[in-house]
Amino acid sequence: MTKSTVRPIVIAANWKMHKLRGEAMEFLDELATYMDEHPQGLGSRVEVVVAPPFTSLELAVEHCPPHARIYSQNMHQDDHGAFTGEVSPAMLRDLGVDGVVLGHSERRQYFNEHDGALAEKVVAAAEFGLRPMLCVGETLEERQSGAAEDVVRRQLETALGDLDVIKATSSGLSIAYEPVWAIGTGETATPEIAQHLHAVIRDELASIFNVEIAERISVLYGGSVKPGNAGELLANVDIDGALVGGAALEVASFSGIIGAALDLVAATPSAGAR
Ligand code: PGA
């Protein structure tokens, strides 16, 4: 099976709680230079996303390289209200933010983010024109007990169950499969393990929406992706990108991962999609 040309490959930087504004600006300017020098395929078949912390979002929107998108790392589901410390989808749109990462395992683990609230967040993001990137993934215990597939199917079903079928693609929804045991640990899922779970995710998306929509949704892999392993992961038929933490803090390594995606699309003739 060859790679789909219907879905773009998405390479996303998740900065987590890193970078002051000056560092963010430096990164984005350097990334813009890299992207300028490698225009072939960027913005059409390979999309670049950067998710800075809230404090750098406005600056990131201003310094966003052409053909890249700025995502926030979280948001509240309501457009306004008495929720001290929270940021609403309306506020993000007001800044010019393009999308939002939802349900990252660190939010689930440390901040009690649960699937019920995520279902509301996914719908709210789509309503406000923010592209949702929903993260799913099993813990080490869940994998060892053989529950990985069930856990991921349940996370998808609960978080996406309320999303209108039409919005599933028009919103720019993407999924990030991030096995918790591979995040920040240096331990990457083998391409076989990742491809298997990505196929399970696509199957679940087909049952929640339909086969045609499932074929159009990019499913990213996350968990210790680096320039050295990106190519072999992205080469798999259902792995449509990478959500990158540690290796996305420097342009040198992040652009190495973008480069792996560009090499791959250069080797795969376009069917003229998108
Ligand atoms: P990592 O983080 O690349 O440092 O493993 C990935 C993520 O948490 O999104």
Side-chain angles (χ1 to χ4, degrees):
M1 282 233 263
T2 52
K3 277 202 85 70
S4 165
T5 54
V6 175
R7 311 180 283 274
I9 296 183
V10 183
I11 305 298
N14 173 14
W15 285 352
K16 309 191 180 188
M17 199 171 71
H18 292 286
K19 291 198 188 295
L20 303 179
R21 292 185 313 144
E23 296 165 317
M25 192 151 47
E26 213 173 290
F27 180 107
L28 289 164
D29 290 345
E30 217 181 299
L31 178 63
T33 305
Y34 171 83
M35 291 178 71
D36 262 5
E37 288 167 357
H38 300 80
Q40 204 62 33
L42 275 175
S44 52
R45 296 185 62 199
V46 176
E47 296 184 357
V48 174
V49 166
V50 178
F54 286 125
T55 47
S56 292
L57 276 178
E58 186 166 15
L59 165 157
V61 168
E62 280 163 16
H63 286 258
C64 181
H67 302 309
R69 291 194 171 103
I70 302 299
Y71 280 35
S72 75
Q73 298 174 15
N74 183 33
M75 65 168 208
H76 194 274
Q77 56 272 40
D78 290 330
D79 61 350
H80 65 274
F83 301 105
T84 302
E86 290 292 315
V87 171
S88 79
M91 292 166 181
L92 295 174
R93 275 314 290 165
D94 189 41
L95 282 185
V97 168
D98 301 296
V100 55
V101 177
L102 294 172
H104 189 279
S105 67
E106 286 151 15
R107 302 243 20 115
R108 294 176 189 259
Q109 193 179 346
Y110 306 128
F111 303 99
N112 270 331
E113 185 95 36
H114 56 84
D115 289 324
L118 281 172
E120 292 181 42
K121 290 187 180 194
V122 169
V123 170
E127 271 170 12
F128 277 87
L130 291 162
R131 304 164 70 88
M133 181 183 289
L134 175 71
C135 303
V136 296
E138 80 285 358
T139 63
L140 184 61
E141 297 72 51
E142 288 163 341
R143 169 152 293 271
Q144 284 171 341
S145 69
E149 292 182 22
D150 288 347
V151 166
V152 167
R153 282 186 188 273
R154 197 192 56 238
Q155 289 173 336
L156 289 168
E157 206 185 317
T158 323
L160 297 178
D162 295 339
L163 188 65
D164 187 275
V165 173
I166 294 168
K167 286 260 168 70
T169 47
S170 68
S171 66
L173 170 71
S174 58
I175 307 296
Y177 168 61
E178 299 207 307
V180 178
W181 47 271
I183 296 177
T185 57
E187 187 134 350
T188 320
T190 62
E192 294 72 29
I193 291 181
Q195 163 56 31
H196 178 72
L197 247 298
H198 279 236
V200 167
I201 289 170
R202 196 153 331 268
D203 180 65
E204 186 60 34
L205 291 173
S207 82
I208 297 169
F209 303 116
N210 61 48
V211 174
E212 200 193 320
I213 287 176
E215 281 301 314
R216 302 194 77 88
I217 297 176
S218 295
V219 183
L220 287 63
Y221 169 79
S224 301
V225 178
K226 305 179 227 16
N229 61 19
E232 59 175 7
L233 285 160
L234 295 173
N236 290 276
V237 68
D238 286 300
I239 302 183
D240 313 313
L243 179 55
V244 189
L249 291 175
E250 302 294 338
V251 174
S253 45
F254 187 55
S255 61
I257 297 169
I258 298 172
L262 291 174
D263 287 349
L264 199 66
V265 299
T268 321
S270 170
R274 285 176 60 92

